């Protein structure tokens, strides 16, 4: 019993496989460039919809068409299986006769015969099929285009997501690099700024921490400005070299600023940046010594840090109360130079200054060599001319000029005069003189000792024709 059941199941499977195979073969049969079964379905739909409306067929033609449909659906007529007809069913008898006349043609042949007969009897059928075929092709074309558009949209969206991810990764890398760079700079300047903050806010750790963060942020922005200026300078120099220009005689010192020259705009941080970058990412620049000899030596010095403080009234009150170095009246046309020798126990110089009502020019120079005294001194001159003017006139001996050093006043000329002028100490420019809006904010700064020598803090009012300036300043050093 079990074996018989398994045999019946196998036969059913084989018949199903044979039926599916036959269906696939029938779908490959084309007529009018359409599968035969699909065209037959269109013909049957057309016949049902249009019969008696768009087309008017005779009784005999209708019998033939119905016979084809019966043959296509059930195969040849088998009278033994056919149900009996009524005595008065004339139409049924006529249909059976027409079906029986088709003989043993196959179902596919019956489908093709139905299509050919309908096409011969109704000229509108073929245009109807052509219109449906075109509509189908158009739908297929649109579906293909939509699929292509969806694919392109997915690809574009994927590309956009990848680009956003790349930008995000690049931004994260830049942020990580920025943090690493800022942390490195903060480690280098922390102790220096901490000593300064302890002097400004003794016994107040919170205010000290706020000031240290402010100074470190200012230092980082200043460093980035120097880096950008350095890149621009190097690009300009490479361009000039590629154009065939001779760069050998160009000065190696480059002055960079993030504020307008002359102090006409908002107060900014002015620094001197280098043409070379050391491995420790610190800038240094070479400024030719202001000497009269032809040796062409250079002094290596690091840039200064500068920032501003808003509490100008409190600063002036502290200075006038004796908590600072003092108050100086700078007359119109004068230049005041505060000489601050390096201290053997110090490593960094700090300064702060402000004025009443009007701005003033400020710059920092450094005179190399062992200072003759450890006391801070103030010198006033009517102008701050360059040494070149003095060097051109050999009969003028600059005994009192701050940038010439101490020389003996003699009336010698020629080689003797040149020897006297060449004996002065070299001077490097740390901060060029620019006008500062120090009547609105307190300007402060610091500089690490480059060696043994004397700082020259210059307050220039030589550009003013009638206005004197009241200067409040403080200078001190840290270890």
């Amino acid at each position: 019993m079990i074996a018989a059941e398994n045999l019946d199941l196998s036969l059913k499977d084989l018949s199903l496989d044979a039926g599916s195979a036959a269906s696939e073969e029938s779908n490959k049969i084309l007529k009018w460039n359409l599968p035969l079964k699909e065209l037959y379905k269109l013909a049957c739909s057309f016949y049902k919809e249009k019969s008696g409306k768009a087309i008017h067929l005779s009784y005999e033609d209708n019998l033939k068409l119905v016979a084809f449909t019966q043959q296509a659906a059930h195969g040849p007529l088998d009278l033994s299986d056919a149900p009996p007809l009524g005595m008065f069913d004339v139409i049924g008898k006529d249909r059976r006769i027409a079906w029986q006349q088709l003989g043993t043609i196959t179902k596919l042949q019956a489908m093709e015969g139905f299509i050919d007969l309908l096409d011969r009897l109704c000229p509108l059928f073929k245009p109807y099929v052509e219109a449906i075929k075109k509509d189908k092709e158009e739908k297929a074309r649109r579906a293909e285009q939509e699929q292509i558009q969806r694919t392109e949209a997915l690809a574009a969206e994927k590309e956009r997501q990848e680009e956003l991810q790349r930008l995000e990764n690049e931004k994260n890398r830049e942020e990580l690099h920025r943090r690493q760079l800022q942390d490195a700079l903060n480690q280098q300047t922390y102790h220096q700024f901490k000593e300064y903050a302890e002097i400004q806010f003794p016994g107040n750790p919170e205010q000290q921490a706020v000031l240290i963060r402010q100074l470190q942020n200012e230092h980082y922005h200043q460093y980035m400005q120097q880096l950008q200026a350095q890149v621009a300078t190097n690009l300009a120099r490479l361009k000039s070299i590629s154009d065939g220009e001779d760069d050998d005689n160009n000065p190696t010192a480059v002055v960079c600023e993030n504020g307008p020259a002359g102090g006409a705009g908002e107060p900014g941080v002015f620094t001197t940046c280098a043409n070379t970058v050391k491995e420790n990412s610190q800038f240094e620049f070479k400024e030719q010594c202001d000497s009269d000899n032809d040796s062409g030596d250079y002094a290596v010095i690091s840039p200064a840090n500068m920032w501003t403080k808003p509490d100008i009234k409190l600063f002036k009150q502290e200075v006038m109360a004796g908590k600072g170095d003092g108050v100086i009246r700078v007359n119109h046309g004068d230049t005041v130079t505060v000489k601050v020798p390096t201290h053997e126990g110090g490593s960094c110089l700090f300064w702060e200054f402000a004025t009443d009502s009007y701005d003033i020019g400020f710059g920092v120079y450094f005179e190399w060599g062992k200072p003759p005294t450890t006391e801070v001194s103030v010198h006033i001159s009517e102008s701050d001319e360059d040494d070149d003017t003095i060097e051109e006139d050999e009969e003028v001996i600059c005994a009192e000029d701050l940038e010439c050093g101490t020389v003996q006043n003699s009336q010698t000329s020629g080689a003797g005069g040149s020897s006297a002028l060449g004996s002065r100490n070299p001077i490097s420019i740390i901060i060029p003189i620019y006008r500062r809006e120090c009547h609105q904010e307190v300007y402060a700064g610091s500089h690490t000792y480059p060696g043994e020598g004397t700082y020259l803090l210059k307050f220039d009012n030589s550009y003013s024709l009638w206005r004197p300036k009241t200067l409040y300043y403080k200078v001190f050093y840290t270890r």
Side-chain angles (χ1 to χ4, degrees), residues 114-132:
F114 181 86
I115 295 169
D116 292 338
L117 179 58
L118 183 64
D119 179 44
R120 187 171 64 253
L121 297 176
C122 183
L124 297 177
F125 173 61
K126 194 167 186 177
Y128 168 80
V129 174
E130 293 292 338
I132 291 179

Side-chain angles (χ1 to χ4, degrees), residues 340-360:
V340 185
T342 56
H343 196 279
E344 60 181 6
S347 63
C348 183
L349 177 71
F350 282 84
W351 61 82
E352 298 177 351
F353 67 92
T355 57
D356 286 335
S357 303
Y358 303 104
D359 62 359
I360 197 168

Side-chain angles (χ1 to χ4, degrees), residues 127 277 331 458:
V277 182
N331 291 323
K458 293 183 174 291

Side-chain angles (χ1 to χ4, degrees), residues 193-433:
F193 290 153
K194 186 174 185 296
E195 293 179 0
Y196 174 76
E198 289 175 348
I199 295 174
Q200 296 296 315
F201 303 102
N204 193 338
E206 294 182 359
Q207 290 292 338
Q208 292 175 12
V210 172
L211 181 57
I212 290 173
R213 284 195 298 271
Q214 179 185 357
L215 295 178
Q216 287 176 338
N217 290 334
E218 291 284 349
H219 181 257
Y220 170 75
H221 292 307
Q222 183 184 39
Y223 176 84
M224 296 306 297
Q225 290 167 0
Q226 290 174 347
L227 183 61
Q228 294 173 359
Q230 175 64 25
V231 172
T233 303
N234 290 340
L235 290 176
R237 182 160 299 178
L238 290 174
K239 183 179 179 181
S240 64
I241 292 174
S242 64
D243 292 341
E245 297 180 1
D246 186 9
D247 252 5
D248 294 339
N249 296 324
N250 288 346
T252 58
V254 181
V255 177
C256 306
E257 55 179 287
N258 68 339
E266 297 181 357
V269 179
F270 297 85
T271 58
T272 305
C273 52
N275 288 328
T276 58
V277 182
K278 289 192 172 183
E279 293 179 355
N280 60 358
S281 299
Q282 293 296 314
F283 283 97
E284 292 185 350
F285 71 94
K286 293 183 176 181
E287 179 69 28
Q288 187 173 11
C289 302
D290 292 332
S291 60
D292 192 49
N293 55 27
D294 296 328
S295 61
D297 294 335
Y298 289 86
V300 179
I301 198 167
S302 61
N305 299 319
M306 285 196 68
W307 60 91
T308 58
K309 297 166 55 179
D311 51 350
I312 186 169
K313 292 183 179 179
L314 179 61
F315 172 75
K316 292 179 181 179
Q317 292 174 0
E318 291 179 353
V319 173
M320 288 188 295
K323 297 181 181 181
D325 291 87
V327 182
I328 302 175
R329 179 181 175 85
V330 185
N331 291 323
H332 59 87
D334 288 351
T335 298
V336 172
T337 303
V338 179
K339 300 182 67 175
V340 185
T342 56
H343 196 279
E344 60 181 6
S347 63
C348 183
L349 177 71
F350 282 84
W351 61 82
E352 298 177 351
F353 67 92
T355 57
D356 286 335
S357 303
Y358 303 104
D359 62 359
I360 197 168
F362 174 75
V364 179
Y365 291 30
F366 187 80
E367 182 179 0
W368 297 85
K370 184 175 180 62
T373 178
T374 59
E375 299 294 330
V376 177
S377 58
V378 179
H379 299 263
I380 301 176
S381 60
E382 293 184 355
S383 64
D384 188 33
E385 297 177 352
D386 295 331
D387 292 339
D388 295 340
T389 306
I390 299 175
E391 293 176 3
E392 291 175 358
D393 188 1
E394 296 179 356
E395 296 181 359
V396 179
I397 305 301
C398 49
E400 295 299 325
D401 193 310
L402 297 175
E403 298 187 18
C404 293
T406 305
V407 297
Q408 298 294 330
N409 187 2
S410 63
Q411 299 298 327
T412 59
S413 60
S418 299
S419 176
L421 289 170
S423 63
R424 58 191 172 87
N425 294 332
I427 296 177
S428 295
I429 301 177
I430 299 175
I431 301 176
I433 296 178

